[in-house]
Amino acid sequence: MKDCRKIRELFSEYIDGVLDKENIDLVEEHLSKCEACRKELNKLVEMLKILKNLRKEETPPDFLETLHERIKRRDSLNAFLNKLLKSPNVKVPLVVCIMIIFVIAIFKTVNIYYLSKTVSEKEYKLKDFIRHRSLSEEPAPQVSWEGGREEKFLIKKEAVPLRKEIARGAEKERINKQFLFERISKKYSLNIETEDVKKAFKDLEEILQKLNIKIIYPSKVAFLDKKIEESDFFELTINLSYEKFKSFIEELEKSKIGKITFPQKIPLNQPFSLHILLKKSQK
Amino acid sequence: MSNNIEDREIIEKFLEGDITYFDKLVLKYKQMVFNVCLKMLGNYEEALEVSQDIFLKVYESLKNFRFEAKFSTYLYKITLNSCRSRLRALRRRKKLEYFSIDEPLETAEGRLKREFEGSHPNPKEVLEEKEKQSLVIKALFSLNPEYREILILRDIEGLEYKEIAKILNINLGTVKSRLNRARNILKEKLEKIL
């Protein structure tokens, strides 16, 4: 049985006549003794005969005609493509492409230039914004963001790191004595010690009216009047610029309102809030 | 060899510009190509379409043919490659059906009964032979394409081992072992009719 399997493996080559002499002898010797293998060989030969005689089917009569049509279609397509690639017409799309690239390049350059410009403008505005925020209790002025689409783009993509960077720069600048008066405290307060608080308040009120300075706290002066009646001290807040501050101090000195204490240094070029504390002097 | 020289002359004349020589090539090989496709794909319409595609490919690529191999070898290669690609595509689309040799053939001239070569005077014999052939074709088609193509090349087309090795790009030893294996599998499948 083992021999049969080995011999049957050689049948294919044996039938095709490609087996070497030694193996042919081996197969034939085995076949002379083994009927089962002879049957197997016959089956194989029979099968190959069927395969060989499998009827060949004819192509349809219009095979060549259909092929000609397809070739014709293909040729015309190829001709069209060649024409398109070789003809001067192809220059039109090429020129268009080049133009588009050129326009995009110009647009990008202008865009970058414009952005850098607006960034520097914004940097300046933002510096002011930061300074003001740090020096005054007054609400920060609106920083104008001009520039339309580019601005939106900038705010989206670059605003956050840019703001941080600008803030850092502004902080450095501030530390580097940008202001003549170094900021000591966020709040600026002025103390007035007087013997007669009511009189001092009237004087102060006159000075503020003269200089056209509004009291922002408390919102109603009536409260002040009431408070003066009740206690020996009161406080108020005003907004003023450096110039007005100078005039204000001069007026206070003129009126000899009392002992004025102003320990902080104030910013020169920024409006600021001043907290005034009027109290009775202690003897 | 004379066949090869004849092919060479035909191709050269076609490449010189005489398109009628391409028709000669088509007429010479269309049946071979179509039948290989038919046995590989098992579907008449698919085989017809792929055969057309093959000749279209030949038409476009003949200018690059260098006569390093026989034209028939080149054509068999293209044919089998095209069949393999189509089989892959058909499997993806799950659109593979056996063709029946008794099914009428749709042509431009109407439905025709398929006529086969050979004469069988006895109607009983014709019927038996048809049944056998139908079973063999179905069994053949149920084989792995690798086995199917080697059986087609050797046992149906009758090509030499060396040529098969060139067409399939495998060595002679592989041709022998693959053929032996393919034959044994097919024999097992056809046990009932043998």
Side-chain angles (χ1 to χ4, degrees), chain A residues 13 16 79-80 100 111 128 140 169 177 186 230 243 272 277:
Chain A
E13 287 175 56
D16 286 339
F80 171 74
I100 289 167
N111 205 15
D128 292 349
K177 296 168 188 173
K186 205 176 175 184
E230 289 168 4
E243 294 303 320
F272 60 94
L277 182 66

Side-chain angles (χ1 to χ4, degrees), chain B residues 38-183:
Chain B
L38 196 58
K39 268 127 204 158
M40 278 300 289
L41 302 169
N43 181 289
Y44 190 89
E45 280 72 30
E46 292 291 342
L48 199 59
E49 203 184 318
V50 172
S51 307
Q52 293 261 336
D53 290 345
I54 290 162
F55 282 110
L56 206 61
K57 238 180 248 178
V58 170
Y59 177 81
E60 287 180 332
S61 62
L62 262 183
K63 56 180 179 291
N64 302 321
F65 185 63
R66 297 279 170 262
F67 302 101
E68 284 157 359
K70 285 199 289 184
F71 175 72
S72 60
T73 308
Y74 169 74
L75 192 57
Y76 273 118
K77 261 190 181 182
I78 296 182
T79 305
L80 289 176
N81 284 338
S82 303
C83 287
R84 283 178 209 137
S85 335
R86 183 57 67 103
L87 275 173
R88 279 196 295 272
L90 288 171
R91 280 208 191 96
R92 275 200 296 274
R93 285 185 275 154
K94 292 181 180 175
K95 198 190 160 187
L96 215 57
E97 288 166 12
Y98 292 111
F99 80 95
S100 161
I101 55 171
D102 295 326
E103 188 187 312
L105 168 63
E106 293 285 343
T107 68
E109 291 154 14
R111 284 163 76 89
L112 295 175
K113 186 86 182 152
R114 287 197 175 101
E115 294 290 335
F116 296 100
E117 280 183 349
S119 59
H120 298 277
N122 187 341
K124 200 186 168 190
E125 268 180 35
V126 172
L127 194 68
E128 276 179 7
E129 191 60 28
K130 267 191 175 181
E131 278 172 1
K132 262 190 184 180
Q133 295 224 355
S134 180
L135 283 170
V136 171
I137 287 168
K138 279 189 179 178
L140 189 68
F141 193 71
S142 70
L143 294 180
N144 182 322
E146 204 176 53
Y147 294 139
R148 202 183 325 156
E149 61 190 21
I150 204 162
L151 284 174
I152 290 168
L153 293 177
R154 175 63 200 166
D155 297 330
I156 298 173
E157 294 297 312
L159 300 184
E160 294 294 323
Y161 279 35
K162 274 185 186 175
E163 198 173 355
I164 294 170
K166 276 185 192 169
I167 292 165
L168 298 179
N169 206 20
I170 52 177
N171 60 42
L172 268 177
T174 312
V175 172
K176 286 175 187 173
S177 58
R178 194 181 289 177
L179 188 62
N180 182 42
R181 181 91 184 111
R183 280 169 171 173

Side-chain angles (χ1 to χ4, degrees), chain A residues 65 73 76 86 105 116 133 237 248:
Chain A
E65 205 180 307
R73 280 205 299 271
S76 57
K86 285 176 187 170
S116 62
R133 281 289 298 270
T237 309
F248 179 62

Side-chain angles (χ1 to χ4, degrees), chain A residues 183-196:
Chain A
R183 188 173 69 87
I184 296 165
S185 156
K186 205 176 175 184
K187 285 181 183 176
Y188 297 90
S189 54
L190 184 133
N191 296 334
I192 302 169
E193 286 182 33
T194 178
E195 285 176 16
D196 189 350

Side-chain angles (χ1 to χ4, degrees), chain A residues 196-226:
Chain A
D196 189 350
V197 177
K198 284 176 192 172
K199 190 182 172 288
F201 172 68
K202 278 181 184 172
D203 291 343
L204 183 63
E205 205 175 15
E206 272 175 26
I207 293 165
L208 290 175
Q209 273 175 1
K210 192 180 169 188
L211 295 173
N212 199 20
I213 296 169
K214 274 188 177 180
I215 300 168
I216 58 163
Y217 174 83
S219 53
K220 287 180 182 174
V221 183
F223 292 147
L224 278 175
D225 293 333
K226 198 182 172 190

Side-chain angles (χ1 to χ4, degrees), chain A residues 9 12 16 40 43 48 52-53 55-60 63 67-68 70-71 74-75, chain B residues 23 30-31 35 38 44 48 52-53 56 59-60 114 133 154-155 157 161 180 183 187 191:
Chain A
E9 284 296 305
S12 181
D16 286 339
E40 279 303 305
K43 276 184 191 173
L48 297 182
K52 199 178 177 184
N53 292 329
R55 284 162 295 188
K56 306 260 181 188
E57 200 153 353
E58 278 295 329
T59 52
F63 185 87
L67 185 64
H68 282 164
R70 289 188 68 182
I71 288 171
R74 185 65 66 96
D75 279 348
Chain B
D23 289 354
K30 65 172 183 165
Q31 203 190 19
N35 277 282
L38 196 58
Y44 190 89
L48 199 59
Q52 293 261 336
D53 290 345
L56 206 61
Y59 177 81
E60 287 180 332
R114 287 197 175 101
Q133 295 224 355
R154 175 63 200 166
D155 297 330
E157 294 297 312
Y161 279 35
N180 182 42
R183 280 169 171 173
K187 185 163 69 69
E191 200 69 44

